[in-house]
Amino acid sequence: MKEKIFNREPYLSILEKRIRDLKDGYRQNLAVIGDELVGKTSIIFKFLHNFCDNRILILYLEVRPQTLDSFVRRFIGVLLYNFLLNSSIPLKEDLDFLISKSENFIPKTTGKIKAILNAVNRRKRNDVFTDLLSLCEELHQETGKSCVVIFDEFLNLENTGFKDLYREWSKLLITQKNTMYIIISSLKFKAKYVLSKSLSLLFGNFQVITVEPFDIKTSAEFLQDSLYGIGLDSALKDFIVQFSAGYPFYLGVISDTLIKQTGLNLTDALEGLLFDSSGILN
């Protein structure tokens, strides 16, 4: 299901402005919060799809429930993969390969990476979160590139095993001038609490962006575009708008089902989506 982007220009404009500010030497971190399936990640992906600047290295990580070792290796892998992305080197998603290809260009950064991995393997993990995020500043010193680190569902970091997570992160937010963080969360109230209590800083604080569902007008425009050529009664379109509550994911799933299965009526489409064992909304 390909989710279309409608009426998201205000959010995209904020992202674009903050990236421009980072290039100009002013760093403002962002927190993107909103209900699950409201389109937060789609906004980020839309921005990344259109973004191109060799002076900025963007690291996107979906934070999953996982071990500390796994997260450390994923973070380093994403960092090095994106660093090498515009080179002429054919890339592989293999950490040892990425380290070997990078050390000719960024020997200090790769040296620190090896030290981090060694510490993790030896179970010496007290400062690993600080050391891991400090790689971005190390990279900046060697290349002049600034980093934008995106943690999707950042609250899952709490389950990774990092010691004193928010206290250590707060220190970095104050000192890192060339690293910008974009954190995303579907747990709105908990995210706001963490931002107000644990990551509330005079310098390096987060601008909070709350992503809302589509309004009625935008939902109708979404359906008009998605169901172009489908003779669906306007009353049924109004029902879909109300049923979906303006959530882009639900609007997209219902629209795609009606388009792909020609002749399927809305009742059958919803029944399949909701009650069939293979239905997307089941």
Side-chain angles (χ1 to χ4, degrees), residues 18 27-31 173 176 179-182 201 203-208:
R18 291 309 175 203
R27 188 273 319 267
Q28 171 72 72
N29 299 308
L30 295 175
L173 291 172
Q176 289 184 320
T179 304
M180 172 183 166
Y181 293 94
I182 300 175
L201 308 165
F203 301 104
N205 63 312
F206 286 83
Q207 176 186 355
V208 178

Side-chain angles (χ1 to χ4, degrees), residues 229-231 255-265 268-269:
I230 303 293
S255 299
D256 281 2
T257 301
L258 291 172
I259 291 169
K260 290 175 181 177
Q261 300 183 40
T262 307
L264 187 69
N265 64 47
D268 291 338

Side-chain angles (χ1 to χ4, degrees), residues 37-38 213-216 219-220 222-223 237-254 270 281:
L37 304 179
V38 79
F214 292 156
D215 57 24
I216 292 175
S219 297
F222 183 103
L223 289 178
K237 290 181 181 178
D238 290 342
F239 170 79
I240 296 174
V241 169
Q242 296 297 326
F243 179 81
S244 67
Y247 281 72
F249 178 80
Y250 297 128
L251 287 165
V253 166
I254 295 170
L270 290 176
L281 302 183

Side-chain angles (χ1 to χ4, degrees), residues 98-252:
L98 294 172
I99 291 173
S100 69
K101 295 299 182 183
S102 298
E103 55 190 353
N104 290 331
F105 305 102
I106 45 173
K108 292 182 179 178
T109 303
T110 50
K112 189 169 184 177
I113 284 170
K114 291 178 181 178
I116 292 171
L117 292 172
N118 185 49
V120 170
N121 290 334
R122 295 169 58 194
R123 304 292 175 180
K124 294 185 177 181
R125 303 173 172 183
N126 287 350
D127 301 318
V128 68
F129 187 73
T130 301
D131 291 341
L132 193 65
L133 296 191
S134 296
L135 289 173
C136 295
E137 291 294 308
E138 190 74 49
L139 185 72
H140 176 77
Q141 291 179 18
E142 286 197 277
T143 67
K145 296 178 183 289
S146 298
C147 289
V148 177
V149 179
I150 304 173
F151 287 140
D152 200 340
E153 300 300 346
F154 81 98
L155 290 171
N156 284 329
L157 288 169
E158 296 178 359
N159 304 317
T160 306
F162 291 117
K163 186 177 180 181
D164 299 321
L165 171 67
Y166 294 124
R167 187 178 68 182
E168 295 303 313
W169 198 357
S170 296
K171 295 176 184 177
L172 290 172
L173 291 172
I174 296 172
T175 59
Q176 289 184 320
K177 304 300 182 183
N178 304 292
T179 304
M180 172 183 166
Y181 293 94
I182 300 175
I183 58 177
I184 306 170
S185 179
S186 299
L187 300 176
K188 296 188 294 184
F189 297 108
K190 184 176 181 181
K192 287 181 179 179
Y193 178 83
V194 169
L195 289 166
S196 64
K197 298 296 182 182
S198 304
L199 294 176
S200 180
L201 308 165
L202 181 60
F203 301 104
N205 63 312
F206 286 83
Q207 176 186 355
V208 178
I209 303 172
T210 303
V211 178
E212 301 289 352
F214 292 156
D215 57 24
I216 292 175
K217 180 176 180 294
T218 304
S219 297
E221 290 174 352
F222 183 103
L223 289 178
Q224 183 68 28
D225 182 87
S226 300
L227 299 176
Y228 181 78
I230 303 293
L232 193 66
D233 186 89
S234 59
L236 293 179
K237 290 181 181 178
D238 290 342
F239 170 79
I240 296 174
V241 169
Q242 296 297 326
F243 179 81
S244 67
Y247 281 72
F249 178 80
Y250 297 128
L251 287 165

Side-chain angles (χ1 to χ4, degrees), residues 8-18 20 47:
R8 295 315 203 193
E9 289 79 8
Y11 304 123
L12 294 170
S13 294
I14 293 173
L15 290 169
E16 291 166 4
K17 181 180 187 307
R18 291 309 175 203
R20 286 198 308 269
F47 171 76

